[in-house]
């Protein structure tokens, strides 16, 4: 099975744009969709982006997802950073046998 | 409104078997493409996918835990049960259940609040 590698942490000031990467260790990033979840402290995760770049209902358009085949990675970009964006973010995908995989998570700090 | 709630023991001893129940409402596990999965999160660590069961009783398991995991459903009770055998302190975690929506997209759109299970003698 493959792994999804995320940076341990990223940070940005209010109003700035941050990007969180998610790199697939083996197999093509395009072979299965990537999802993104946000987990605020003490809360359950919630879906933010599904199928690479589809915003879940109610998610503001400041959040966007993309795929970069050249680096075999997916990215979550948050523009116009707000204090309430501070959370842990996880990418998730699956293999050809429908076994799901989560990335190691990235802690976003709003300075 | 879709809700999921995990229940089970908060403390188990090493070598024991953990049995967790996910009780849900607002959807049915007889609806095509719907699934319910289990995910765990050790304190301060990342999410780990464990297992998933679908409306047609298809099941998938984490390769690293497959030999210890069993997932079943009771559609009449709107429940999904996860068992994890031979518990070890490293299995201490918050266990979540979550729904895969009927759209067929492979994500979890609704999560339970989670239940913390501690493994200790």
């Amino acid at each position: 099975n493959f792994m999804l590698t995320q940076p341990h942490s990223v940070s940005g000031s209010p109003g700035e744009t941050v990007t969180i990467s998610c790199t697939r260790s083996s197999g093509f990033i395009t072979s299965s969709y990537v999802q993104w979840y946000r987990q605020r402290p003490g809360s359950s995760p919630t879906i933010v982006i599904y199928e690479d770049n589809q915003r879940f209902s109610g998610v503001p358009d400041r959040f966007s997802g993309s795929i970069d085949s050249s680096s075999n990675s997916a990215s979550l970009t948050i523009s116009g950073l707000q204090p309430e964006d501070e959370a842990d973010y996880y990418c998730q995908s699956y293999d050809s046998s429908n076994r799901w995989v989560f990335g190691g998570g990235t802690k976003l700090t709003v300075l | 409104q879709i809700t999921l709630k995990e229940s089970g023991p908060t403390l188990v001893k090493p070598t024991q078997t953990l049995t967790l129940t996910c009780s849900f409402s607002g959807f049915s596990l007889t609806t095509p493409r719907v699934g319910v999965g289990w995910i765990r999160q050790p304190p301060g660590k990342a999410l780990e996918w464990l297992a998933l069961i679908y409306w047609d009783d298809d099941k998938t398991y984490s390769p690293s835990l497959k030999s210890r995991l069993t997932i079943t459903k009771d559609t009449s009770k709107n429940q999904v049960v996860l068992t994890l055998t031979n518990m070890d302190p490293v299995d201490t975690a918050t266990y979540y259940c979550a729904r895969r929506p009927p759209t067929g997209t492979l994500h979890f759109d609704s999560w339970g609040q989670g239940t913390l299970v501690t493994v200790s003698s």
Side-chain angles (χ1 to χ4, degrees):
Chain A
N1 211 2
F2 63 90
M3 292 172 51
L4 297 172
T5 301
Q6 301 180 232
H8 181 70
S9 63
V10 298
S11 63
S13 299
E16 290 186 342
T17 296
V18 296
T19 298
I20 300 171
S21 63
C22 171
T23 302
R24 180 165 172 157
S25 62
S26 62
F28 297 111
I29 191 70
T30 52
S31 62
S32 55
Y33 286 122
V34 175
Q35 284 60 241
W36 291 92
Y37 300 84
R38 171 174 59 193
Q39 186 179 32
R40 294 190 168 113
S43 296
S44 303
T46 59
I47 182 74
V48 177
I49 298 287
Y50 65 96
E51 290 188 338
D52 296 343
N53 55 19
Q54 301 300 302
R55 276 186 300 278
F56 191 67
S57 175
V59 174
D61 58 7
R62 301 186 295 107
F63 291 81
S64 62
S66 62
I67 298 294
D68 182 357
S69 299
S70 64
S71 60
N72 213 39
S73 65
S75 293
L76 174 68
T77 298
I78 308 172
S79 61
L81 206 58
Q82 298 182 2
E84 58 264 34
D85 297 331
E86 186 160 292
D88 293 328
Y89 290 83
Y90 294 90
C91 59
Q92 171 255 311
S93 192
Y94 47 90
D95 67 12
S96 57
S97 299
N98 197 21
R99 296 171 299 195
W100 295 29
V101 178
F102 282 97
T106 298
K107 182 178 180 59
L108 169 61
T109 301
V110 181
L111 302 171
Chain B
Q1 181 188 4
I2 293 168
T3 65
L4 302 100
K5 187 172 184 179
E6 307 85 354
S7 60
T10 58
L11 179 66
V12 298
K13 289 180 168 47
T15 75
Q16 287 187 334
T17 294
L18 172 68
T19 299
L20 293 173
T21 299
C22 175
S23 301
F24 57 86
S25 63
F27 68 96
S28 172
L29 246 183
T30 61
T31 301
R33 294 182 295 278
V34 169
V36 171
W38 286 92
I39 308 94
R40 71 179 181 181
Q41 185 173 38
K45 295 188 177 181
L47 300 171
E48 178 183 18
W49 175 77
L50 300 178
L52 205 154
I53 189 166
Y54 291 94
W55 86 101
D56 60 357
D57 210 37
D58 189 21
K59 304 163 188 176
T60 57
Y61 294 99
S62 165
S64 62
L65 293 167
K66 185 175 183 178
S67 63
R68 299 172 53 205
L69 284 168
T70 303
I71 189 170
T72 60
K73 62 181 173 67
D74 186 333
T75 53
S76 65
K77 294 182 179 179
N78 280 352
Q79 290 181 336
V80 171
V81 174
L82 182 80
T83 61
L84 181 60
T85 61
N86 194 24
M87 292 291 283
D88 183 271
V90 299
D91 296 313
T92 294
T94 295
Y95 287 76
Y96 297 97
C97 63
R99 183 187 85 145
R100 178 215 162 167
T103 53
T105 47
L106 296 184
H107 70 273
F108 293 122
D109 69 343
S110 299
W111 293 63
Q113 64 188 23
T115 185
L116 176 62
V117 178
T118 301
V119 184
S120 174
S121 55

